[in-house]
Amino acid sequence: MLTIQKHNSNLLYSAILAIGLLLSPAPAHASIEEDRASAVIFVYQRIGEDAQPQSSISLDQFKEHIKELQTGGYHVLPLSKIIDALKAGDTLPQKTVGITFEGAWLSTYANALPLLDDADLPYTLFFSSDLADGSNPTHMTWSHLRELKKNKNVSLALLPSIYAHMAEQTKEQNAEIINKAVSRFKEELGEEPQFFAYPYGEYSSELKKQMGNYAFKAVFGEQSGVVHAKSDFLALPRFTMTDNFGDFERFQLTANALPLPVTDITPDEMILKQNPPMIGFTITSELGDLSRLSCFISGQGKAPVTRLGGGRIELRLSEKFDDRRTRINCTMPDTTVIPGQAQSWRWFGMQYIAPDFADDSTAAQPDTQPSDTEDNSPGEE
């Protein structure tokens, strides 16, 4: 299945790049307001674990990413600086990037972190407190985490105490695993956690509301997209990098992505009550002509796009989603043409859950944690 998905990803990537090359250059225009302060956030899980391609990226690929970040004119900033700037309305440098890791795997500790330290690049590590409390041979312990806390390039952040499907748990169940994680973080590290991430990138509107009662600066999902000052800080997007979807071309394409700001998203609940859903959203009028907008659905390919007045977009789907998690990515080439630079793409992503499809029953086990990087966009599945 993964081989087929990766083949489809490459075909889509090639097709969309070809479309970009065939499009006649549009006249340059002033950047939209959201471009003044935006950033691409990457999320990695395991590094160099070839037996786990769904959640790992090869060491060679990861080294390519670091080299590109060092030589490609990017500004890799600590997550706190990015979020503080966005919330304050401050300007961020063009090509601002943030690096995050999900799960605190020992392969990350052994393979990735020394490379990032050598490159002097900052990063944030999200972890589950129950795994840090235990003696799992694949996971960092509190001893590792306390050591990393002393590193000027490292910031530590939270997952719930167990890696659970929070979107389908009760408010009380979620409060228990959030509160326990926060408590253990403060006990072991002596400070308040600033950031939180939803396991599997899954959340509900009720869970987002619940997260708003905590003191986190921002909460992160796993839908693709670019963060900007008008983003939802209780569900910020990140581009996931794994072995199957972490080739250099995809990394470079996503690292140069720009915001595609949308409002009035329907359905506004990630857990679907209707399959297939009727999907709609409104794109900012500042972008003008939307004729080059394309949307892609994981496992299905290019989606039919209906353009209504006032920047309203609808995806009127006829084929059911046949996986638990389905990614939808909408992109359009930026109309600003800069001689000597590659085409940039504006990017907006969503993730929906079809609860009729069961997921693995060992979600909290570190060796079976999936990543679901099935994105159908430029360079994505």
Side-chain angles (χ1 to χ4, degrees):
M1 182 64 174
L2 281 175
T3 302
I4 295 173
Q5 290 173 345
K6 187 173 182 181
H7 177 67
N8 290 340
S9 171
N10 292 336
L11 289 176
L12 286 168
Y13 169 74
S14 300
I16 294 175
L17 281 188
I19 292 171
L21 292 173
L22 289 172
L23 293 172
S24 58
H29 65 74
S31 296
I32 62 175
E33 180 184 350
E34 286 80 0
D35 292 344
R36 192 174 65 84
S38 66
V40 168
I41 310 296
F42 288 110
V43 55
Y44 299 86
Q45 294 183 38
R46 307 166 190 265
I47 307 296
E49 294 191 47
D50 295 339
Q52 303 287 342
Q54 279 192 300
S55 59
S56 181
I57 191 168
S58 74
L59 194 53
D60 286 342
Q61 285 177 315
F62 188 68
K63 288 178 179 178
E64 281 189 324
H65 295 184
I66 292 178
K67 183 178 179 180
E68 171 67 7
L69 292 174
Q70 288 181 295
T71 62
Y74 302 92
H75 299 270
V76 182
L77 300 181
L79 198 58
S80 58
K81 286 190 176 182
I82 293 173
I83 300 304
D84 287 348
L86 295 179
K87 288 194 165 186
D90 295 337
T91 300
L92 284 170
Q94 288 188 343
K95 301 177 71 169
T96 291
V97 169
I99 300 172
T100 68
F101 292 91
E102 190 106 341
W105 307 108
L106 279 177
S107 64
T108 298
Y109 179 86
N111 297 330
L113 305 192
L115 296 174
L116 289 166
D117 284 343
D118 287 346
D120 198 27
L121 296 178
Y123 53 93
T124 298
L125 182 74
F126 290 83
F127 68 93
S128 293
S129 60
D130 277 13
L131 289 175
D133 281 331
S135 56
N136 191 291
T138 66
H139 197 275
M140 298 183 207
T141 65
W142 288 111
S143 178
H144 294 102
L145 297 170
R146 283 191 291 269
E147 175 192 337
L148 290 176
K149 183 175 179 289
K150 300 174 183 178
N151 187 321
K152 66 179 180 65
N153 286 325
V154 181
S155 61
L156 299 175
L158 274 183
L159 296 162
S161 60
I162 60 171
Y163 208 85
H165 294 284
M166 298 180 74
E168 295 176 273
Q169 295 196 148
T170 66
K171 185 177 180 180
E172 292 72 24
Q173 287 173 321
N174 285 329
E176 180 179 354
I177 60 178
I178 298 168
N179 294 340
K180 182 179 181 181
V182 171
S183 176
R184 292 295 293 126
F185 191 103
K186 292 193 291 186
E187 289 171 0
E188 294 290 341
L189 302 176
E191 62 186 27
E192 294 279 351
Q194 294 186 344
F195 303 112
F196 186 91
Y198 301 113
Y200 310 98
E202 296 181 2
Y203 57 85
S204 63
S205 57
E206 181 65 27
L207 178 56
K208 279 205 307 176
K209 182 179 178 180
Q210 184 175 1
M211 294 306 306
N213 296 324
Y214 290 86
F216 299 113
K217 287 185 177 181
V219 184
F220 293 84
E222 291 186 14
Q223 73 278 19
S224 299
V226 181
V227 299
H228 54 84
K230 296 181 181 179
S231 293
D232 181 353
F233 286 91
L234 293 176
L236 291 177
R238 293 181 292 175
F239 287 103
T240 307
M241 291 287 131
T242 64
D243 196 42
N244 289 309
F245 305 103
D247 59 84
F248 177 76
E249 289 79 10
R250 177 180 182 271
F251 178 79
Q252 188 179 53
L253 190 73
T254 52
N256 285 276
L258 297 171
L260 179 58
V262 307
T263 55
D264 302 320
I265 302 169
T266 57
D268 59 359
E269 182 62 71
M270 182 182 286
I271 302 175
L272 296 177
K273 296 180 180 179
Q274 173 185 329
N275 187 6
M278 176 71 77
I279 296 171
F281 51 88
T282 301
I283 298 178
T284 175
S285 60
E286 290 184 79
L287 287 176
D289 180 20
L290 302 180
S291 63
R292 298 192 289 177
L293 177 78
S294 295
C295 296
F296 298 88
I297 302 175
S298 59
Q300 296 185 14
K302 194 170 184 178
V305 174
T306 300
R307 299 172 183 85
L308 306 177
R312 188 66 182 173
I313 301 295
E314 288 187 355
L315 307 183
R316 300 172 181 176
L317 309 178
S318 58
E319 184 179 349
K320 284 188 175 183
F321 297 165
D322 59 3
D323 290 308
R324 175 185 168 82
R325 282 178 292 275
T326 297
R327 304 286 187 94
I328 300 171
N329 285 288
C330 295
T331 62
M332 60 183 291
D334 181 46
T335 56
T336 302
V337 177
I338 302 175
Q341 290 193 16
Q343 172 75 64
S344 293
W345 293 82
R346 296 195 175 276
W347 206 303
F348 163 66
M350 298 168 279
Q351 178 177 247
Y352 287 105
I353 301 168
D356 292 341
F357 293 92
D359 206 350
D360 62 279
S361 60
T362 54
Q365 300 301 315
D367 289 335
T368 57
Q369 178 181 325
S371 64
D372 288 308
T373 53
E374 300 172 356
D375 290 356
N376 283 327
S377 299
E380 301 215 352
E381 201 284 324

